[in-house]
Amino acid sequence: MTDPAQHTRRSPVYRKLVAAGATFREAADGAVAATVPGAPRPLGLADLSVLPRLGYKGPGALAALATVGVPVPEANNTALAMPGGGLVARLADSEALLLGDPTGTGDPLAAYGALHGAGCYAMPRRDSHAWFTLAGDRAADCLAKLCGVDLRPHRFADGAIAQTSLARMNGILIRDDRGGALAYHILADSASAPYLWDCLIDAMAEYDGGPVGLDDLASFASAE
Amino acid sequence: MKLMPCPLNGPRNISEFACAGEVAELRDPADCDDTSWAEHVIFSNNTAGVVREWWFHTPTSYWFIAERNTVTDEILRTYPAGEVFKARFDYAAAKDEGGK
């Protein structure tokens, strides 16, 4: 078993996953929880915080991304799949966020790491934000307890983004279904990530939810 | 919960926002005495009626302008600040004028 503490890059919630008995595997330059005892569950929360992600901001950010072949969405607060895995999320006219492949294999962002200049500035989203994925049919019901935005599937389409207050923290929510199963990426301040993790685990309890590993997330797609 | 229509994010709970006061035209520092400069910096008009205000959506760090009736607390319209402020303020030109 890989020990997450042997890597310099660690998730802000890795101790909670160690306490839950998770089995870790190498991913990117850290270790992710691959499986957690109790999985599969009807509602699962996975920690993707060590996986690659990049942010770009500035008046020339979207144009710079388009010139290197990133499929920039037409409208603000929408996300599109990237070739080779991962997502590009358009947060504003002057800001985008690239998420790496959520299965933790390969790094589709490696080609885009050096964009800088001409009104395009790189943001260290991998250090500033934690990244969780909440998956399961009751995910929207669970988030309704923490968030004022209507995230129900018929109101909040696949690929939609809400930048809003989540458990009184500022967060970015991106709907990214897995196979046919409802799933949301949650990005929020890394320093407060253990608090948010506890809030989500508490909110999930009534739906028989709990922590799952990255490899357990695949079961949500195959269950359909 | 009162709702604020954010130009970027749509209707959101007003607790996600911060109000930063009236939209006031910047006085020309080169042609402005100390009293009127102090009034510009420190005092607000406190108008009873429709005002234009700066508002800030905290989760996205997004600034915009809202037209609000301070008597009825109705929000009439919100729009990006770019609709009003189309060019950057030229500090270099203002400084040159002040130094003459």
Side-chain angles (χ1 to χ4, degrees), chain A residues 4-224:
Chain A
Q6 78 190 38
H7 295 275
T8 319
R9 180 175 292 282
R10 297 165 204 166
S11 161
V13 295
Y14 84 92
R15 288 187 181 88
K16 292 187 182 293
L17 285 155
V18 170
T23 306
F24 289 80
R25 69 167 163 87
E26 310 265 337
D29 53 352
V32 293
T35 60
V36 179
R41 295 169 175 277
L43 183 64
L45 182 67
D47 173 36
L48 286 66
S49 295
V50 300
L51 300 183
R53 57 197 170 282
L54 290 165
Y56 289 102
K57 219 169 179 175
L62 300 186
L65 287 169
T67 56
V68 294
V70 175
V72 178
E74 294 276 313
N76 290 330
N77 284 318
T78 53
L80 280 177
M82 287 206 295
L87 276 180
V88 52
R90 176 170 169 164
L91 302 181
D93 289 338
S94 57
E95 186 174 3
L97 172 70
L98 309 184
L99 293 178
D101 185 359
T103 61
T105 53
D107 183 5
L109 308 184
Y112 310 122
L115 279 181
H116 197 71
C120 177
Y121 310 100
M123 310 285 288
R125 293 301 189 207
R126 211 175 164 195
D127 304 312
S128 63
H129 284 60
W131 177 11
F132 305 149
T133 298
L134 181 70
D137 291 340
R138 306 298 300 275
D141 301 315
C142 175
L143 287 172
K145 297 159 74 174
L146 304 174
C147 177
V149 176
D150 190 350
L151 299 167
R152 290 174 297 167
H154 64 287
R155 301 281 303 187
F156 193 78
D158 195 15
I161 299 174
Q163 302 176 74
T164 185
S165 174
L166 181 72
R168 301 248 164 191
M169 282 176 67
N170 296 327
I172 303 170
L173 288 153
I174 305 171
R175 182 173 162 200
D176 181 27
D177 289 0
R178 317 213 129 215
L182 191 58
Y184 299 88
H185 297 299
I186 299 167
L187 292 111
D189 177 35
S190 57
S192 305
Y195 157 78
L196 182 60
W197 180 269
D198 286 345
C199 285
L200 286 163
I201 294 292
D202 183 52
M204 294 164 77
E206 68 173 290
Y207 308 111
D208 197 19
V212 298
L214 204 56
D215 298 343
D216 301 325
L217 279 180
S219 68
F220 288 95
S222 56
E224 288 294 311

Side-chain angles (χ1 to χ4, degrees), chain A residues 148-150 164, chain B residues 2-14 16-17 57:
Chain A
V149 176
D150 190 350
T164 185
Chain B
K2 194 173 171 60
L3 294 180
M4 165 64 89
C6 175
L8 175 62
N9 297 287
R12 288 292 157 80
N13 289 342
I14 204 150
E16 293 184 22
F17 297 85
H57 184 240

Side-chain angles (χ1 to χ4, degrees), chain B residues 50-53 55 65-69 74-79:
Chain B
V50 177
V51 294
R52 286 197 311 172
E53 291 174 320
W55 282 78
I65 295 173
E67 289 179 4
R68 186 172 71 91
N69 187 323
E74 281 174 295
I75 297 156
L76 306 172
R77 197 163 85 91
T78 59
Y79 44 92

Side-chain angles (χ1 to χ4, degrees), chain B:
Chain B
M1 183 76 77
K2 194 173 171 60
L3 294 180
M4 165 64 89
C6 175
L8 175 62
N9 297 287
R12 288 292 157 80
N13 289 342
I14 204 150
S15 60
E16 293 184 22
F17 297 85
C19 179
E22 295 166 5
V23 178
E25 199 161 329
L26 185 64
R27 308 262 174 100
D28 182 355
D31 186 24
C32 179
D33 61 34
D34 289 352
T35 308
S36 54
W37 183 255
E39 276 184 11
H40 170 72
V41 172
I42 295 163
F43 296 117
S44 64
N45 289 323
N46 200 24
T47 307
V50 177
V51 294
R52 286 197 311 172
E53 291 174 320
W54 283 108
W55 282 78
F56 177 70
H57 184 240
T58 315
T60 47
S61 299
Y62 178 73
W63 287 99
F64 60 97
I65 295 173
E67 289 179 4
R68 186 172 71 91
N69 187 323
T70 55
V71 179
T72 60
D73 199 19
E74 281 174 295
I75 297 156
L76 306 172
R77 197 163 85 91
T78 59
Y79 44 92
E83 285 190 18
V84 176
F85 299 94
K86 296 186 189 300
R88 296 183 78 88
F89 184 78
D90 190 350
Y91 286 98
K95 196 177 166 191
D96 289 346
E97 269 182 41
K100 70 185 173 191

